[in-house]
Each structure stands twice: as structure tokens, then as C-alpha cells.
Amino acid sequence: MADRQLNIVEKLASSKGGAWYFIHVSGRIDPWLLKRTDGRLSSLPGAPVLLLQHTGAKSGKARETALTYTADGDAFVLTASNGGSEQHPAWYHNLRANPECRLVVKGASGDYVAEELEGDEYERVWELALDVYGGYAVYQDRTGGRKIPLMRLTQA
């Protein structure tokens, strides 16, 4: 029964409407929740969610983005799916320009450094990400050919 419920939730989440909800609604609620609960509570119960505090690539201003993540040992991997959009999310451009960031996440908040994954390492971690959320495969199909980047964050 639990697997069936998870499958239904994944199908809803990977729909265009679900992606919009997670980007525009959860994305506004979760920074507030995550900061006040030290990363223990988000609007997506049961999903791995963290708060990425990063610097704008063009503006240099502080930014905050709540994102789901994939654990890879002590590192956190962010999937730049942008709900299957043909454009990369802003946070991805920001991390490429300014890889130093801060995470608010249950049990591991602190300063981190981002690196983009490529090649065999990308393929290995992409499979981990799909295990966390199978909807990434649906998003990849909607990107118009854009390869969804993966960013690994390791403690500074």
C-alpha cells in the first residue's frame, strides 16, 4: 500500500501542475519552515528537503532556495530539473558562478562548496537521484533536449 501511495504522489508531483506547485508554492513556504526548524520540517513530509543559501550570479545578492536533494555519502546532490523546464534554474547558474554556499538541513547545516558532476560520476548519481524521485525521468523528457545538471555539495 505504501508503494502505491508513493507512486501516486510521484505521478502528481511530476505533472506540470505538480512541478508548478513545488516551484512556486512550496518554494515560498519551505525557506521559512526550514530556517525555523533547523531543517527538520518542510511542506513535503517524508521528502528530503534542504535550504540552499547562495549568492546571485549577476546581482551578488543573497538568495535562498528550498530544494529536494539526494544523499551521496556525506555530500548532498541537487538536481537542476526546474520541473522539466527547457531552462536551467537560477540557483544552478548562481552555484556555477559562486560555488560557496550554506545549507540548512537536518543534522548537517553549514558551509558547502558545489561542483557539477559529469561523465560516469553523473550517471552513477543520476541513478541515485531517480531512486529518491522517479519523476526526474519525466522532467528529463520535458526539457526539450536540455540535460538536467547535477550539483554535488561537499562540506567546506
Side-chain angles (χ1 to χ4, degrees), residues 61-140:
K61 293 183 180 179
R63 304 285 185 205
E64 293 184 327
T65 309
L67 298 165
T68 58
Y69 66 87
T70 300
D72 184 25
D74 291 339
F76 296 92
V77 177
L78 304 178
T79 306
S81 65
N82 204 16
S85 169
E86 293 183 8
Q87 311 251 326
H88 294 311
W91 65 260
Y92 165 77
H93 296 291
N94 293 346
L95 285 181
R96 285 184 48 103
N98 302 297
E100 296 80 20
C101 59
R102 182 159 183 77
L103 298 182
V104 176
V105 59
K106 182 180 177 182
S109 296
D111 295 326
Y112 285 76
V113 178
E115 68 170 318
E116 187 166 357
L117 298 179
E118 297 177 352
D120 290 343
E121 189 65 357
Y122 177 95
E123 297 305 323
R124 181 187 72 78
V125 176
W126 177 252
E127 292 303 319
L128 292 176
L130 289 175
D131 285 344
V132 171
Y133 177 56
Y136 290 136
V138 175
Y139 293 166
Q140 182 60 68

